[in-house]
Amino acid sequence: MDKVFINLHLVSMVDKQQTGSDGYQVLKDAMIGVRNGKVEYVGEPCPSILHGHPDIIDCAHALVTPGFIDCHTHLIFAGNRANEFEQRLQGVPYEEIAKQGGGILSTVQATRKTSEDELYHLAIHRLEGLKRDGVTTIEIKSGYGLTLDDEIKMLKVAKRISELPDMKVSSTLLAAHAVPPEYKNRSDEYIDLICDTIIPQVVKLNLANHVDVFCEGIGFSPKQCERVFRATLKHGLRIKGHTEQLSNLGGSALAASMGADSVDHIEYLDENGVKALAKNNTVATLLPGAFYYLNESKLPPIPLLRQYKVPMAIATDFNPGTSPIASLRTIMNMACTLFKLTPEESLRGVTCHAAQALGLQHFRGKIAVGMEADFAIWQLDSPAELSYRLGVPDLIARVVDGEIFHEK
Ligand code: NIG
Ligand code: FE
């Protein structure tokens, strides 16, 4: 074994049935052994492994969770939209701002003008907030380029971020985020461009795992989204969707029926939609930051999601318009206060369920033998504190593929 972590309070997120301990399954004074970036041992301290081992890390009774996974972000963009924040505070709705050419399209303008290098530096700076909250995997979407070259530029930035030793990236093509100005009133032709040119090229360059859409009145119709999904599946990528955020168009059920790993936002999802998620094992990704910034009052159907046992992930949705919050722990807290998730559900939402939202549940999101050795080590007594306290630097270190990255 390369490294052994001892004296830790383990929150493995492995199912209750397998461990028989309490709701969070805290295993006190546990030990984790790592080899070649994977977990090789987890459980009670094992004297035969410890005896004479050259690399023992004493965690001094710290709490150890899986590395957090932020499974929905728009980390890469230029500019900011504080002016729209001010407009919205004066009562102008998000949809109205979008229709006037602001919103997503104003970030598109700024992003198109910005070089790959500059976008990279902007994104790296924002990433610091997420690292401080124990994030070891981040999903990053394109969607502020909306031309072949600009979408590829964004995905190349995501690729560069994935080369950092301490952050794993899952990249998503979101060309179907808004109708670009040059395709105004010709949105079907833009969908042709996405299906016939952008998706094949992104696949050829191996720049994304998923393709996402914005299925909404100010985005694309279910019919258009279905065309994007078909083209995606034909090229062997996986699908997900921004669905039922502002209205109920049936995008979630459509995406689920086509095998989506997740549908995201879903404030307006109805019971039939929830059933479709359950039937297709699609994760419901909740984004309380966007709910909060848009001053939304319609809650996602959380009691129904529980009733039908749909896994719930939560994520920052970090973006310049609806969720400028680069803190996953703030989002965990909001999931509890605004959506009434329990702190345990919120922890699942950023670990095992977030992994499933990215199709990575067999590799990340739990601490178990054979999984990737990605952990967050916290100076905390109990896991509920992760959702409870804001702003205190509780993180001691992150571990990515068995390598330790210290925060303090
Ligand atoms: O997840 N809903 C669409 N997309 C983003 C918002 C992007 C923006 O406003 O720039 C979201 O909320
Ligand atoms: Fe989003």
Side-chain angles (χ1 to χ4, degrees):
M1 231 163 277
D2 302 333
K3 266 192 199 81
V4 186
F5 297 82
I6 60 163
N7 281 330
L8 54 97
H9 297 328
L10 176 72
V11 189
S12 69
M13 305 315 288
V14 172
D15 291 343
K16 220 178 218 171
Q17 297 88 311
Q18 291 174 34
T19 64
S21 55
D22 69 11
Y24 291 104
Q25 305 125 34
V26 181
L27 183 65
K28 298 246 174 199
D29 303 316
M31 169 180 140
I32 303 173
V34 170
R35 189 200 297 270
N36 292 334
K38 299 245 165 61
V39 175
E40 194 173 73
Y41 176 92
V42 53
E44 307 280 338
C46 174
S48 64
I49 295 174
L50 287 169
H51 184 73
H53 196 286
D55 199 356
I56 295 176
I57 297 108
D58 188 339
C59 295
H61 310 292
L63 200 72
V64 176
T65 64
F68 283 3
I69 298 171
D70 191 354
C71 66
H72 180 142
T73 85
H74 308 251
L75 187 78
I76 299 165
F77 59 85
N80 76 72
R81 310 228 296 270
N83 58 330
E84 291 177 15
F85 177 62
E86 288 183 310
Q87 272 184 283
R88 288 206 308 273
L89 289 172
Q90 302 296 324
V92 188
Y94 180 66
E95 280 161 296
E96 191 51 49
I97 294 170
K99 280 180 196 149
Q100 289 166 8
I104 295 170
L105 290 183
S106 71
T107 301
V108 169
Q109 266 185 5
T111 305
R112 284 181 177 178
K113 280 194 285 213
T114 304
S115 71
E116 187 185 312
D117 268 351
E118 201 179 327
L119 287 171
Y120 175 76
H121 291 294
L122 288 167
I124 290 292
H125 178 62
R126 296 167 189 145
L127 204 52
E128 287 307 311
L130 294 172
K131 288 183 184 178
R132 269 198 296 275
D133 277 356
V135 173
T136 54
T137 294
I138 182 176
E139 187 259 14
I140 302 177
K141 300 176 197 297
S142 66
Y144 292 122
L146 312 186
T147 64
L148 173 66
D149 288 349
D150 289 300
E151 287 292 296
I152 284 178
K153 175 174 76 178
M154 291 188 70
L155 292 172
K156 282 189 173 161
V157 174
K159 177 142 199 198
R160 278 171 70 181
I161 297 171
S162 77
E163 287 156 7
L164 294 170
D166 65 336
M167 188 58 65
K168 297 180 178 178
V169 175
S170 182
S171 298
T172 300
L173 172 69
L174 177 57
H177 196 193
V179 180
E182 56 281 11
Y183 280 87
K184 196 166 182 211
N185 301 322
R186 297 189 295 133
S187 58
D188 280 327
E189 287 172 46
Y190 180 56
I191 295 290
D192 292 341
L193 177 78
I194 294 174
C195 296
D196 302 340
T197 308
I198 302 184
I199 293 173
Q201 192 61 17
V202 164
V203 169
K204 192 166 155 207
L205 298 172
N206 193 19
L207 285 173
N209 319 98
H210 283 88
V211 173
D212 194 345
V213 299
F214 186 22
C215 185
E216 194 53 70
I218 55 167
F220 296 91
S221 69
K223 218 168 154 191
Q224 292 174 321
C225 294
E226 186 177 343
R227 286 185 56 206
V228 173
F229 289 154
R230 282 201 194 294
T232 303
L233 296 172
K234 193 174 103 193
H235 284 90
L237 300 189
R238 304 179 69 87
I239 60 172
K240 47 175 61 241
H242 284 71
T243 52
E244 269 72 65
Q245 180 186 11
L246 307 169
S247 61
N248 184 359
L249 299 183
S252 305
L254 168 75
S257 73
M258 296 181 75
D261 283 317
S262 75
V263 292
D264 304 35
H265 288 288
I266 62 163
E267 277 83 349
Y268 286 80
L269 187 67
D270 61 18
E271 184 161 0
N272 280 333
V274 174
K275 283 186 189 164
L277 304 195
K279 184 166 163 217
N280 294 286
N281 211 14
T282 298
V283 173
T285 298
L286 307 176
L287 305 170
F291 176 93
Y292 167 82
Y293 268 92
L294 294 180
N295 210 3
E296 179 63 67
S297 53
K298 179 107 172 72
L299 285 162
I302 288 158
L304 286 170
L305 293 168
R306 287 193 185 111
Q307 185 186 327
Y308 288 94
K309 300 199 176 358
V310 175
M312 292 182 280
I314 57 177
T316 61
D317 191 17
F318 182 80
N319 77 70
T322 63
S323 194
I325 307 181
S327 164
L328 193 52
R329 280 185 69 192
T330 303
I331 294 295
M332 291 170 78
N333 174 267
M334 285 181 166
C336 297
T337 54
L338 301 176
F339 290 175
K340 306 290 179 259
L341 261 61
T342 66
E344 187 185 336
E345 285 173 324
S346 115
L347 184 56
R348 287 188 187 282
V350 299
T351 54
C352 47
H353 291 162
Q356 191 179 336
L358 299 177
L360 293 170
Q361 64 272 30
H362 302 303
F363 310 98
R364 295 179 213 163
K366 291 182 183 178
I367 301 179
V369 170
M371 305 282 273
E372 293 169 22
D374 299 348
F375 323 130
I377 305 180
W378 306 95
Q379 192 179 337
L380 293 173
D381 295 324
S382 67
E385 288 170 66
L386 289 161
S387 295
Y388 149 80
R389 186 160 54 236
L390 296 179
V392 179
D394 297 312
L395 185 74
I396 299 169
R398 294 175 306 128
V399 177
V400 181
D401 286 334
E403 293 304 317
I404 302 170
F405 299 90
H406 279 279
E407 301 303 316
K408 63 178 181 188

